[in-house]
Amino acid sequence: MSPISGRSIIVTGGASGIGETAARLFAENDALVTVADISTEAGEALAEELSGKGCEVQFVTTGVADEAQVAAMVDAASVGSFVCIPLAAEYGEHGIRVNAIGPSTARTPMYLKLNPEYEKTVAATPALRRGSEPVEQAQAAMWLLSDAASFVTGVTVPVDGGCLLY
């Protein structure tokens, strides 16, 4: 059984890049995934694809700057956890943990298009001297969602290859 099996997980920005990779990973690990994104066409296509593979995935058009859309997203997912310390304090008594990852740049199609010099840039970083694969970001998030992190709440875990060291 997967460490996140049966959990209801919202992936904001879930239609592309790191979010899409995370949505795929979580769905393949038997989570109930709500993909939230402003890109309706890509989000619906992803939800349809994953649902066709037997995963439990839904899509909700959501711009996180729009309170009504965020409320609709939360209602659709039947959970109420967003990332910040005050919410971790507020929801902790209900057994709801609130955490985030602080991702570094990742080798996504969008980022590579915006930064054609990506490989040179990351090779010059002082820590790991490489960029992140989107799945590395998603795996860190999956750990936070699992029981292995059952006593972790109110934190943002830097998944940056050591960039904060310098």
Side-chain angles (χ1 to χ4, degrees):
M1 177 179 271
S2 164
I4 61 170
S5 181
R7 303 230 173 145
S8 179
I9 300 170
I10 299 171
V11 181
T12 57
S16 64
I18 295 168
E20 177 186 353
T21 301
R24 288 178 183 282
L25 180 66
F26 302 160
E28 290 164 0
N29 278 275
D30 301 319
L32 313 171
V33 178
T34 298
V35 174
D37 203 296
I38 57 173
S39 180
T40 302
E41 187 175 321
E44 287 177 345
L46 178 62
E48 184 177 316
E49 174 194 336
L50 293 173
S51 294
K53 294 178 178 178
C55 300
E56 293 190 54
V57 180
Q58 65 179 339
F59 173 74
V60 179
T61 301
T62 309
V64 294
D66 183 318
E67 285 187 44
Q69 288 185 4
V70 170
M73 171 189 68
V74 171
D75 288 344
S78 301
V79 297
S81 56
F82 285 90
V83 178
C84 71
I85 291 171
L87 287 176
E90 180 179 344
Y91 289 107
E93 68 183 72
H94 303 290
I96 297 171
R97 296 179 294 117
V98 182
N99 298 300
I101 62 166
S104 65
T105 57
R107 200 174 275 107
T108 64
M110 180 189 297
Y111 196 79
L112 293 174
K113 182 178 178 181
L114 293 173
N115 185 357
E117 298 294 315
Y118 176 75
E119 299 302 332
K120 285 183 189 176
T121 303
V122 297
T125 59
L128 296 182
R129 301 198 185 282
R130 68 176 182 83
S132 163
E133 294 298 329
V135 71
E136 293 174 301
Q137 304 293 326
Q139 288 167 336
M142 190 165 89
W143 172 75
L144 281 173
L145 293 162
S146 75
D147 286 340
S150 65
F151 203 63
V152 178
T153 193
V155 301
T156 299
V157 175
V159 186
D160 64 0
C163 287
L164 290 179
L165 298 172
Y166 301 92

